Each structure stands twice: as C-alpha cells, then as structure tokens.
Amino acid sequence: MYDLLIILAERFSIIALLAFLLSKAEFFKKMVYNTALTKKDLLITMLIFGLIGIAGTYLGVPINDAIANSRVVGPMVAGLIGGPLVGLGAGLIAGVHRFFLGGFTAISCGISTIIEGFAGGLIRKYYKGEYIPWEYAFMAGFIGEGVQMLIILATAKPFHQAVELVKIIGIPMMVVNATGIGIFMIMIKSIFDEKEQIAAMQAKIALDIASKTLPYLRKGLNEESAQKTAEIILECTNVSAVAITDKKRILAHVGIASDHHKPGMSILTNATKEAIQKGEIRIAKSKEEIGCPYENCELHSAVIVPLFKYDKLVGTLKLYKGGKKSRGNVITNTEIELAKGLGHLISYQLEIADAEYQKKLATEAKLNALQSQINPHFLFNSLNTVISFICTNPERARELLINLSEYFRHNLRNVGKYITIEEELNNINAYLYIEKARFGDKLNVEQDVDISVLSCYMPSFILQPIVENAVKHGILPKGERGTVKIKIKDEGDYISFYVEDDGVGMTEEELQNLFKKGVGKGAGIGLYNVNERLTVAFCKECALSIESKLGEGTKVSFKIPKIYLQRNDIYEEAESVNY
C-alpha cells in the first residue's frame, strides 16, 4: 500500500505540472474570477479537464484487472471552479473513456467519475463564486474517493475481487487524489491573490493619478486640463502614449506618435470614432484595428474608454502601447482594467467640476440679487439728499451728483467681486460725503483702521449698508449730534469689522426680529442682506453680531478669516472655466 502511495504521488506530479500551466491561461482565470464565460470557454474547460482525467487514467498503476489512478482530479476540480455543468461534462468525458477501457470496475469507475465531477460543481454552486478553501476541497476529494470505493464494492463483480482491490487502492487513492485536488485549489488561491494584488496596485495608481489630476480637471475638459492629465497618466503608468479627446477633436496626446496626433486636430483613429459613436469601450489589438491613417504610426494596440458627464458622452481617454520594439506592444488586461477605472474617475471629476461651477454661478447670482436690493435703497436716499440741495445750493448738488455717479460706477463695475478694504472705505467716505451734506454737524464720523489690513480683499458693498443703517436709523431719529465709529482691526487669523453708533438703539423685540425678512423697521432690510451675503460667501461663523440698547445705541460687528481675504479671484476663477 505504501509503495502504491509513492508511485501515485510521483505520477500525479505530471498532472500538477499540467495544472500549473493551465493556471496561466486567460480562460481559466476568467472562470476562477467568476467572469461571464462564453459557451466556447465552457466547452474548452470541459474538454481540458476531461483530458486531465483521461491523463490520470493512463498515468495510473494496473492492479488486479483494474487501475489505481488520479482520474477523478480533473472532473472534480472542473466542478469546483466551473460549477455543475462543467464538472458533469468533464466527468462524462473521463468516465466514458474509462468505461471503454474495460475491466471488472469499468462501470463502477465510469459512474463514480461522473458523480464526483457533478458533486464538485454542487460545492461550487453553494459557494456562489467565492474561493473554496483547499481544506474543504481536500475533504471533498477524500469523501468522493471513499464514495468511489463504495460504488466499486456495490457494483463490481466478483465481490471478493472488489474487496481485495479496495483494500489495496482505497487509502492511496483517497489520500493522493484528495491531496491533488487540494493542490489545485491552492493554485487557484494564488490566482485570487494575484487578482487582489493587481487590483490593489491599480487602485493605488488610480488614486495617485486622481489626486494629481483633480486640480486641473476642476476647470473642466479643455486642452490645458487634458494635457496635464495625459502627462500625469503617462508618468504613472507603463503605457507608450496617452490621449484625451472630446467628441470631435484631440485635446491632448503625449508619448509616441505625438508628431501627428496633435491637440486641436480632428480625431484620426477609426477605433476612437467607433468608441464615440457607440459610447462603449473599444480595445484595439493591432495597428489595423486602431485605424490611424498615417502609414508609419507606431501605435500598435490601445484601449479607448468613453468619458461621460451626467450620462452624456463628452470625450474619450486612450491608453496606447507601441514603439519600434516588437515586444511589449500589446495592451495588457491590467492596463485595460486600469483604463476603465481611470475613465470612471475622470468622468466623476468632471461631474464634480461641473457641480462646483454651477454652485459658484448660483452663489454669484444670489449675491448679485441681494446687492441689487441694496443699491436702489441707497440710490433713493441719496437722490433725496441731492434734491434738497438743488434749489438752495446747486453747486453742492452738482458735487453730490458727481460723487454719487462715481460711487455707483465703482459698485457696478465690481458687482459680485472682491475689492480691497481700502477701496471699500473710499466708497464709504463717498457715501458719508453725501450724507454729511444733508445732516451737517449732526453727523460725526470716527475711523480706526489698521493700516496692515488695507490691502486685503473683501466682498464689495458690505460695510456701506451697515454704516447707512447707523446713520439713518441710529443717528437721524436722535434729533441731535451723534457719532458713528468705524473700526477694522487685524486680529491674527481674523480681520474684525465694527460699526458703532450712539443713536436711538432698539428694543429687545426689534433686535430679535431684525433678521426676519419683512419684520421690524427699515434697519432690517440692509442688515438682513449683508448677513445673507456674508454667510453665503463665507460661513455661518461670519454672520453679523448685533448689540443694541434702546436710547444708548447699536454696535454691529463681524469677522472674516484672513484666508478668505488674501485673494480676489474667487469669482473670476469661475469665468475661466471652459466647458
């Protein structure tokens, strides 16, 4: 028995070698990965594993008009990786072959081979495409061979000869074949591990590319962003060229063949045109399939992935392999999968860019709408002041109109944009010039501004409405001289703004209703709009803070993080986006 065990193990090594070679075949990997297989793939698998079963028969050891063999390994493994149909098919091939070889166990061995192949398929079905641990596969093989021994005892005649045969071959075949099936599953586990390693590598590359390309793709799909994106992908991958197109033109092409695939040109390759027309991934494995009209084009294979934005095709991403060397010119499955992943990432980034752009437009529209509510309010009050001087002091009225026109010209030019704090103060001074003309000595203004903040940027027309409210609804109703204090202070990470008056103030109820649109007295309109602009443009923490006591005055303040006030391109950035 021991000698037979050694001989069977030695002969099984040949089958193990076949198994190793088989594990490198693409159709075999597709089956292991549970990828959709064609009927041709299934038939090939049945045939190959059926032949492995036949090889196991011929590599067996003749004993007492029977054969100690490894035939069952092929059909059972076929079932374990391919399911009931594949296992049954391979079992039929190997089992029918064994039947025609004859011998008193011909029927027993033929039936048991078919049963074990089908049983392996049932186990696969139970696991629903997941990896079957080699320990379970070993136990399945051990039990399956045990069943085969029982079938031999039940069907082979004469019975005493069957008993003697089972005594000799039972344990060796159960151990060797179960071990062989376990070894097969260990090889399959290595395929799973390889897939996971490739997936992890692809994920790392894709995430690295995504982080590097996001700043460019945030500006949409144009020649500049496409060029930068293509350069990054080429640098991070092992392909020969990378190209990005819209639906009609080449936006970028880096790597080989860039001498005739140039940005701005119409799309040259037939494969790309087909991918755009059908909206599907196109894999070209030869120069002819790529279809470049240039005879000496070095592009030999490609994967073309359509790019979408909200389910609408906007272009393609193309990875090419090629060059003067004959080897390494075929696009690999790994590169195809990477291209698919990058296509999804770029499409997603384009959607994010579009969403950000639309958000900026909506924000700008809201800010403009709020500012348009303030301007007529100020214009109405200013014109009343001018009218009061037309008869009594026409020259002063003329000066006021000049100041007013300059003031509005400046504000109309900077609607929805950022201006320096110094410019905002100039606007306030222009406003106060007009108001002082009306109130005379009743209006006193004090300013305390840190020089260091004058060059920082802020949204235009933020302070003026607050100062206007202090004058109109704080000082004017007082009926006597009053003071408005304007302070702008550098406070480290923040710039703080204060407008304080010693006017009539507000009741607690008026203060609570101040930001309820349509409620309270006129002071609420301007302050409500300013508060909305601050919270929309920045954050809730930048909202107005108001303190007021009836008969004592009102203090309005807010602060803005410096990080928001270091640049003036917040709205201009959106204007440069090309879609």
Side-chain angles (χ1 to χ4, degrees):
M1 182 184 297
Y2 179 77
D3 291 339
L4 179 60
L5 184 66
I6 298 299
I7 293 171
L8 287 175
E10 289 175 348
R11 297 190 178 186
F12 176 76
S13 63
I14 299 175
I15 297 177
L17 177 61
L18 293 174
F20 175 76
L21 296 175
L22 182 64
S23 68
K24 303 302 178 182
E26 287 301 322
F27 81 91
F28 184 75
K29 290 182 179 180
K30 287 170 64 178
M31 181 168 290
V32 171
Y33 297 155
N34 202 31
T35 306
L37 294 169
T38 64
K39 291 181 180 180
K40 181 180 177 181
D41 290 331
L42 293 174
L43 289 173
I44 291 174
T45 306
M46 290 179 191
L47 179 61
I48 288 177
F49 279 97
L51 292 174
I52 289 176
I54 292 173
T57 299
Y58 284 119
L59 291 170
V61 181
I63 296 176
N64 298 342
D65 196 29
I67 304 172
N69 61 84
S70 299
R71 176 179 55 255
V72 74
V73 174
M76 179 162 272
V77 171
L80 289 173
I81 66 170
L85 181 61
V86 176
L88 181 62
L92 281 170
I93 293 171
V96 170
H97 169 268
R98 173 62 187 90
F99 173 76
F100 283 110
L101 289 179
F104 83 105
T105 61
I107 295 176
S108 305
C109 293
I111 292 173
S112 62
T113 302
I114 296 170
I115 290 174
E116 290 185 67
F118 185 69
L122 292 179
I123 295 172
R124 172 68 170 183
K125 190 173 183 180
Y126 174 79
Y127 274 86
K128 297 179 180 178
E130 296 180 7
Y131 166 70
I132 301 172
W134 71 267
E135 301 96 327
Y136 294 173
F138 176 89
M139 289 302 299
F142 195 86
I143 294 170
E145 285 295 83
V147 170
Q148 178 175 216
M149 298 304 127
L150 293 176
I151 293 173
I152 290 174
L153 292 174
T155 59
K157 303 298 180 183
F159 179 71
H160 72 276
Q161 189 176 348
V163 172
E164 288 299 319
L165 178 66
V166 169
K167 286 181 180 179
I168 297 171
I169 71 172
I171 296 300
M173 284 183 61
M174 290 170 70
V175 172
V176 171
N177 290 345
T179 302
I181 293 169
I183 290 173
F184 247 109
M185 299 314 293
I186 291 173
M187 290 183 180
I188 290 171
K189 177 65 165 60
S190 70
I191 295 175
F192 270 99
D193 292 342
E194 180 187 358
K195 181 185 180 182
E196 290 178 358
Q197 290 172 0
I198 291 173
M201 180 186 68
Q202 289 177 344
K204 184 180 182 302
I205 293 173
L207 288 174
D208 187 35
I209 291 172
S211 64
K212 291 179 179 179
T213 58
L214 181 58
Y216 303 106
L217 290 173
R218 286 181 67 177
K219 295 183 178 181
L221 189 61
N222 52 46
E223 287 191 12
E224 179 185 359
S225 62
Q227 180 71 20
K228 293 293 185 180
T229 300
E231 290 173 356
I232 291 169
I233 294 174
L234 183 67
E235 180 184 352
C236 295
T237 60
N238 194 36
V239 297
S240 306
V242 178
I244 297 175
T245 74
D246 58 20
K247 293 193 290 185
K248 295 182 179 180
R249 299 178 302 112
I250 300 170
L251 297 178
H253 185 109
V254 294
I256 64 171
S258 57
D259 58 328
H260 57 275
H261 292 271
K262 296 181 179 180
M265 294 177 59
S266 297
I267 293 171
L268 298 177
T269 62
N270 294 330
T272 307
K273 295 175 183 177
E274 290 176 11
I276 292 173
Q277 184 178 7
K278 296 180 180 179
E280 299 175 352
I281 293 173
R282 179 83 164 80
I283 299 171
K285 297 183 179 180
S286 66
K287 293 179 64 174
E288 291 71 26
E289 290 185 26
I290 292 175
C292 178
Y294 283 74
E295 183 177 351
N296 297 323
C297 183
E298 295 181 348
L299 303 176
H300 291 278
S301 61
V303 54
I304 301 106
V305 181
L307 300 176
F308 294 91
K309 186 170 69 178
Y310 304 119
D311 297 325
K312 182 180 179 182
L313 191 145
V314 295
T316 65
L317 166 68
K318 302 186 287 184
L319 304 187
Y320 288 106
K321 293 294 279 291
K324 295 180 180 179
K325 295 181 180 179
S326 59
R327 298 181 62 185
N329 284 341
V330 178
I331 204 87
T332 65
N333 287 334
T334 301
E335 288 156 348
I336 291 172
E337 292 302 316
L338 177 61
K340 291 178 182 178
L342 289 175
H344 288 303
L345 278 173
I346 292 174
S347 295
Y348 184 59
Q349 287 177 327
L350 292 176
E351 290 177 4
I352 292 175
D354 187 66
E356 289 181 350
Y357 176 64
Q358 295 301 328
K359 183 179 179 180
K360 285 180 180 178
L361 290 180
T363 300
E364 186 175 356
K366 185 172 183 178
L367 291 176
N368 290 345
L370 290 171
Q371 189 162 349
S372 69
Q373 296 177 28
I374 298 173
N375 282 337
H377 182 63
F378 171 65
L379 177 62
F380 176 76
N381 290 328
S382 299
L383 288 176
N384 279 339
T385 302
V386 173
I387 290 171
S388 68
F389 278 94
I390 288 178
C391 295
T392 59
N393 193 342
E395 184 61 28
R396 189 69 182 276
R398 177 177 174 276
E399 292 176 0
L400 290 172
L401 283 175
I402 291 173
N403 276 275
L404 185 61
S405 65
E406 288 296 326
Y407 174 83
F408 271 100
R409 183 180 296 111
H410 180 87
N411 277 277
L412 289 173
R413 186 169 62 245
N414 293 292
V415 168
K417 294 185 180 180
Y418 277 33
I419 60 173
T420 63
I421 292 177
E422 184 176 16
E423 290 176 299
E424 178 75 356
L425 286 173
N426 289 338
N427 283 343
I428 290 172
N429 290 332
Y431 161 75
L432 290 173
Y433 180 86
I434 296 169
E435 295 297 72
K436 281 183 177 181
R438 181 179 180 185
F439 299 125
D441 293 338
K442 289 184 178 181
L443 177 60
N444 180 48
V445 179
E446 297 178 4
Q447 294 189 13
D448 180 10
V449 180
D450 288 347
I451 297 176
S452 61
V453 305
L454 291 177
S455 60
C456 293
Y457 287 86
M458 66 179 298
S460 63
F461 217 61
I462 285 287
L463 275 181
Q464 190 276 335
I466 301 175
V467 174
E468 179 182 355
N469 275 319
V471 173
K472 297 294 185 183
H473 304 290
I475 304 302
L476 180 60
K478 186 177 181 180
E480 59 187 59
R481 183 179 174 85
T483 300
V484 175
K485 296 179 180 179
I486 302 170
K487 290 200 302 182
I488 306 176
K489 309 303 289 183
D490 186 342
E491 297 182 353
D493 293 335
Y494 293 86
I495 295 178
S496 296
F497 301 80
Y498 305 88
V499 176
E500 185 176 357
D501 68 76
D502 57 1
V504 295
M506 288 179 280
T507 65
E508 189 66 30
E509 181 182 359
E510 289 172 333
L511 189 59
Q512 291 178 357
N513 291 330
L514 196 60
F515 291 148
K516 295 180 181 179
K517 197 172 183 181
V519 179
K521 62 182 183 178
I525 298 175
L527 294 181
Y528 171 85
N529 286 337
V530 170
N531 192 62
E532 281 288 289
R533 292 185 65 203
L534 286 170
T535 54
V536 168
F538 304 119
C539 58
K540 291 182 179 179
E541 287 71 22
C542 297
L544 294 179
S545 174
I546 302 177
E547 302 171 20
S548 185
K549 287 187 179 181
L550 190 64
E552 295 184 16
T554 301
K555 181 179 180 181
V556 180
S557 64
F558 62 93
K559 61 181 181 179
I560 303 175
K562 277 185 181 178
I563 191 172
Y564 290 127
L565 305 181
Q566 301 300 315
R567 59 194 183 97
N568 67 340
D569 61 344
I570 291 179
Y571 294 101
E572 293 173 358
E573 183 179 292
E575 296 173 5
S576 65
V577 178
N578 182 9
Y579 286 87

